[in-house]
Amino acid sequence: MKIIRYPQHHPVTLPSAVTIGNFDGVHQGHQALIRQTIEVSRLQSLQSVVVTMEPLPVQYFKGRFEISLLTPFKQKARLIRNLGADVLCVLNFNQILARLSAEEFCGQILDRGLKAKHI
């Protein structure tokens, strides 16, 4: 599994099926979403991309140390890799990302950066 951070500056080369979330804990519901994304990617000849953020948005707005995580990042990445995702995209959640409108996020990150064909 490849890990990327800034798809808006270093776009992926292949079209993708994408799922987006905090994925803290990578619980059964998360696993189902990730597996579904992987299945769609295989059926449509796309790469599977799991998008998460670090810090998580709630940590950014409330304070990184005010919110405890269920799963440390390395463990989260390992769990997602073990599910079979092709790419883990870890967005740096900061003031710039927080200020993007939905249209800007979709255009910059999903469309141009990740070449998302299925979300």
Side-chain angles (χ1 to χ4, degrees):
M1 177 180 75
K2 181 177 181 180
I3 298 177
I4 62 172
R5 280 213 166 256
Y6 300 99
Q8 66 274 40
H9 301 301
H10 306 287
V12 298
T13 56
L14 300 173
S16 61
V18 176
T19 187
I20 305 168
N22 291 332
F23 301 113
D24 186 27
V26 193
H27 58 65
Q28 289 182 353
H30 295 148
Q31 292 173 32
L33 286 171
I34 294 167
R35 285 188 181 111
Q36 182 179 23
T37 301
I38 292 167
E39 183 178 335
V40 167
S41 73
R42 302 299 182 252
L43 291 172
Q44 297 183 16
S45 298
L46 304 170
Q47 68 179 343
S48 57
V49 178
V50 176
V51 177
T52 192
M53 288 145 259
E54 191 175 76
L56 298 181
V58 69
Q59 289 179 300
Y60 175 80
F61 290 114
K62 291 197 174 203
R64 188 174 195 122
F65 301 106
E66 298 294 318
I67 305 296
S68 55
L69 299 177
L70 297 173
T71 310
F73 177 77
K74 286 183 181 181
Q75 182 182 2
K76 179 187 340 188
R78 185 173 49 254
L79 291 167
I80 292 169
R81 182 188 68 230
N82 290 344
L83 289 168
D86 296 316
V87 176
L88 175 58
C89 176
V90 184
L91 299 176
N92 182 23
F93 197 88
N94 56 25
Q95 188 175 29
I96 295 167
L97 191 62
R99 287 187 175 169
L100 288 180
S101 68
E103 291 81 11
E104 291 168 328
F105 181 85
C106 289
Q108 291 177 29
I109 306 294
L110 299 177
D111 187 35
R112 288 187 296 280
L114 297 174
K115 295 182 178 43
K117 301 300 179 200
H118 180 88
I119 302 171

